[in-house]
Amino acid sequence: MDRTTLFEQYGSHVNAGKIDVYERYGLDAVMGGREGIRFRDAYDDRSWINCHCNGGVFNLGHRNPQVLAAVQASLATQDIGNHHLPAVSRTELARRLVSTTGGLLPGVVFGVGGGEAIDLAIKVTRAATGRVGVVSANGGFHGHTGLALAAGDAAYRDPFGPNPPGFSQVPFDEVVAMDAAVDDRTAAVILEPIPATLGMPIPDPGYLPAVQRICRERGAKLILDEVQTGLGRTGRMWAYEHWDLEPDVVVSGKGLSGGIYPISATLMTREIHSLFDTDPFIHISTFGGAEPGAAAALAVLDVVETPGFLDHVTELESRFTAGLAGMPFAFRHLGLMMALAFPAPDAGMFAAKLLFDVGIFAVYANNDTSVLQFLPPLITTNEEADEIIGIVRSVFG
Ligand SMILES: Cc1ncc(COP(=O)(O)O)c(C=O)c1O
């Protein structure tokens, strides 16, 4: 199938609107071969450095050899497995994930994608508190499934009927608004530590600790959506470590898959997890924690926990900060959770196109189109970082 036919067929059967946008802006990439920080076009010799990484799916680059080998080894003898039965890899993964929280969150429930894991986080905090209210941030994004969708932007849920009761949203990084929104009917506050879709605003150092204090005072649970910020993206295993937080629930997805086999996880306190002591089948996911996914995630943890790995992320942050100084955008960053914030509306969209044409794939922030999300893989070498910096400077300098 040639490119033109592929675009026609994709438009006819998968998503006409996407094809329309791609054609209008000349974004005609079709993913072909891929390795490390790059992917190639399926039809010609163009290639792109992936600074989108699908929001962290490709934290460890494309087809990371360690993750690939682990999944291949799993597939040599296993299949998805059966969620009704314990499995060695799934159990080991649960243990390893718990240990990343220092035992703070000893309960783990596996899922397939982020939205499902967020839904579960909301369900279990409602069960634990006997309350319904869920407070989230305007412009945040937690997925397009049921309760995750309900906690997100009206634009994505209004076409599908009335929102379920109990959900409210407040501006991010405003303690006063959060203080007013959380009361004795609030089951949970759910936040991304750095909301990606909102353009990666780095919160004031006091904001998340204040939100935690408000939750504690009023008996609400704090859910942190670390689907993008987790697993080393900010230079720590979990972003919450930057603020010494003790969340009640942490949700992981995307990068947990190593980009090879989908898996997500909801980590929670013993108190919240005790729901499953008496009601083990209150929530199931047929494919959640599938054995090849558990193998992928274990390999991801092996890589991220390799001594020096997180230091390299922080070193790269300094390298990008120095290298991108003096550019006509504000540089937002915590580790490699980075964004280029331009002064003009929609400039993030234009920046994405300009970079696409010179071999960098990056995507604007949907809820603040002046911002370009900038997420190179965590395995980017210093030399590759310099190459990326050079390209960005050549476009915007
Ligand atoms: C912060 C955040 N939470 C949740 C999700 C939902 O994850 P999924 O698309 O795997 O359902 C996303 C997806 O982009 C996300 O960025």
Side-chain angles (χ1 to χ4, degrees), residues 61-390:
H62 287 285
R63 297 172 60 77
N64 180 282
Q66 234 170 297
V67 181
L68 201 53
V71 174
Q72 280 164 342
S74 163
L75 291 174
T77 58
Q78 298 171 337
D79 52 21
I80 280 165
N82 190 323
H83 65 285
H84 288 96
L85 301 171
V88 175
S89 56
R90 197 156 52 237
T91 309
E92 176 62 3
L93 176 59
R95 192 189 66 76
R96 291 277 303 275
L97 282 169
V98 169
S99 111
T100 65
T101 71
L104 174 73
L105 304 176
V108 183
V109 177
F110 292 110
V112 180
E116 172 191 347
I118 296 284
D119 283 359
L120 191 263
I122 293 174
K123 281 165 63 174
V124 293
T125 51
R126 283 179 161 179
T129 58
R131 303 174 178 181
V132 172
V134 176
V135 181
S136 57
N138 288 327
F141 177 67
H142 303 289
H144 279 167
T145 52
L147 299 174
L149 177 68
D153 263 24
Y156 297 100
R157 50 182 153 81
D158 281 355
F160 308 109
N163 216 32
F167 288 88
S168 60
Q169 289 186 285
V170 293
F172 183 70
D173 208 15
E174 290 185 18
V175 178
V176 174
M178 186 62 80
D179 194 40
V182 178
D183 60 23
D184 60 6
R185 289 162 298 173
T186 309
V189 171
I190 177 166
L191 292 173
E192 299 159 82
I194 302 168
T197 311
L198 192 54
M200 322 268 191
I202 310 296
D204 181 88
Y207 177 66
L208 291 168
V211 173
Q212 177 171 288
R213 181 183 46 74
I214 291 167
C215 287
R216 289 274 155 82
E217 277 172 12
R218 302 183 197 163
K221 305 298 181 191
L222 177 60
I223 303 170
L224 290 182
D225 177 347
E226 295 239 23
V227 167
Q228 291 216 26
T229 52
L231 300 170
R233 172 55 61 183
T234 69
R236 304 279 180 91
M237 177 61 77
W238 303 109
Y240 74 72
E241 297 168 29
H242 288 280
W243 301 277
D244 290 327
L245 300 173
E246 294 193 348
D248 302 288
V249 181
V250 166
V251 178
S252 180
K254 290 196 188 274
L256 196 61
S257 68
I260 306 282
Y261 200 101
I263 184 165
S264 61
T266 308
L267 282 64
M268 61 197 81
T269 59
R270 171 72 199 127
E271 181 220 343
I272 296 174
H273 196 243
S274 65
L275 173 68
F276 297 97
D277 296 355
T278 49
D279 218 339
F281 297 106
I282 191 78
H283 175 90
I284 61 163
S285 172
T286 299
F287 299 130
E291 292 190 56
L298 280 166
V300 168
L301 292 182
D302 285 345
V303 174
V304 177
E305 289 181 337
T306 303
F309 183 89
L310 294 174
D311 293 337
H312 177 63
V313 173
T314 305
E315 281 158 24
L316 283 177
E317 176 188 16
S318 305
R319 206 171 185 94
F320 278 107
T321 308
L324 296 178
M327 293 279 98
F329 47 73
F331 184 51
R332 297 179 178 168
H333 56 95
L334 186 63
L336 292 185
M337 189 82 186
M338 307 191 294
L340 318 184
F342 292 88
D346 293 344
M349 299 167 97
F350 295 116
K353 166 64 177 158
L354 291 172
L355 287 174
F356 178 87
D357 288 343
V358 293
I360 288 184
F361 184 63
V363 171
Y364 62 91
N366 211 33
N367 291 339
D368 183 349
T369 54
S370 68
V371 178
L372 185 77
Q373 300 176 335
F374 201 67
L375 301 172
L378 310 184
I379 48 103
T380 301
T381 63
N382 290 342
E383 295 68 33
E384 289 167 337
D386 291 344
E387 183 185 348
I388 296 168
I389 290 165

